[in-house]
């Protein structure tokens, strides 16, 4: 479904952030990504979605066999890619209910997700404006689930969310993935999400390159024990 093929991504100033990075995600596959701050995780997600000023200097990103390189963000969204951002934007003048209705006709579905994600009283507020960190994350999850993407890109979905709401989000997300058979790339620092999502493959992004492909739980335990230091020595590229 997704094939990131040896991409070199540079910042506007020309610094290389992703260095010949390759990653394949199959239909219905869930991949968990770890990596220290600044290793390029958010850059990878933004490059797949095409939301940034980054340049793909070399390589290509294919979705369902089609290159995304020259497509706009909305074209990529229409193909079935959805993103939950690490730092969700605030959108004044548009109510959460309005975007929900745009994404999903059926009010029953909208209110069901709003109820499950503790967002009912937020529906008539401007999207993410003055929401707390955790409320923004729940609002983002709400929107991406209503979008029903074939591929979900989740950038640290649980960061800033309290334990109780992580559990709620994890369960709702797991239910969605199972029901829809969507693929997902989930970036996590805390590893809390692993309790709720059954993923077989994890990987680590270090310095713009992938290394250490293994079971997510095993990678997480290793990182907790040894830090990221050892991960750099594992040279399993082209995953
Ligand atoms: P992560 O999500 O893994 O913490 P990011 O993808 O946000 O990391 O950033 C990767 C690296 O690229 C960081 O060192 C960051 O400072 C740098 N970077 C990100 N965006 C830009 C930019 N627009 N210009 C220059 N450097 C950038
Ligand atoms: Mg990031």
């Amino acid at each position: 479904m997704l094939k990131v093929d040896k991409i070199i991504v540079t910042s506007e100033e020309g610094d290389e952030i992703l260095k010949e990075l390759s990653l394949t995600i199959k239909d219905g596959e869930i991949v968990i990504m770890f990596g220290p701050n600044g290793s390029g995780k958010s850059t990878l997600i933004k490059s797949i979605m095409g939301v940034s000023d980054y340049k793909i200097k070399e390589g290509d990103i294919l979705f369902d066999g089609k290159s995304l390189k020259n497509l706009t963000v909305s074209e990529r969204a229409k193909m079935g890619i959805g993103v939950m951002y690490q730092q969700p934007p605030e959108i004044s003048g548009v109510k959460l209910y309005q975007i929900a209705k745009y994404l999903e006709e059926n009010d029953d579905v909208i209110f069901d997700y709003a109820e499950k994600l503790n967002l009912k009283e937020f529906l008539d507020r401007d999207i993410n404006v003055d929401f707390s960190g955790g409320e923004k994350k729940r609002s983002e999850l709400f929107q991406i689930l209503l979008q029903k993407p074939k591929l979900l890109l989740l950038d640290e979905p649980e960061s800033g969310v309290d334990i109780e709401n992580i559990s709620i989000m994890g369960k709702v997300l797991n239910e969605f993935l199972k029901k829809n058979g969507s693929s997902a790339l989930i970036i996590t620092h805390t590893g809390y999400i692993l309790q709720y999502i059954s993923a077989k493959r994890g990987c680590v992004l270090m310095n713009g390159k992938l290394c250490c492909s293994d079971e997510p739980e095993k990678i997480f335990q290793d990182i907790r024990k040894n830090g990221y230091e050892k991960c750099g020595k594992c040279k399993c590229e082209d995953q």
Side-chain angles (χ1 to χ4, degrees), residues 112-113 116 170-180:
D112 185 41
Y113 275 129
K116 283 181 179 154
K171 284 174 188 159
V172 173
L173 176 62
N174 186 43
E175 199 180 294
F176 174 90
L177 292 172
K178 281 197 167 150
K179 190 168 148 213
N180 291 275

Side-chain angles (χ1 to χ4, degrees), residues 182-229:
S182 302
S183 309
L185 174 63
I186 305 176
I187 294 172
T188 180
H189 261 304
T190 64
Y192 286 132
I193 204 82
L194 299 179
Q195 294 171 40
Y196 306 97
I197 307 295
S198 53
K200 294 191 182 65
R201 188 153 67 99
C203 56
V204 181
L205 188 59
M206 291 280 293
N207 282 325
K209 283 188 154 213
L210 280 182
C211 60
C212 305
S213 175
D214 209 332
E215 283 170 25
E217 197 58 53
K218 192 166 174 298
I219 293 179
F220 186 57
Q221 296 308 333
D222 278 355
I223 295 166
R224 276 167 72 112
K225 200 165 152 220
N226 305 312
Y228 281 110
E229 224 169 288

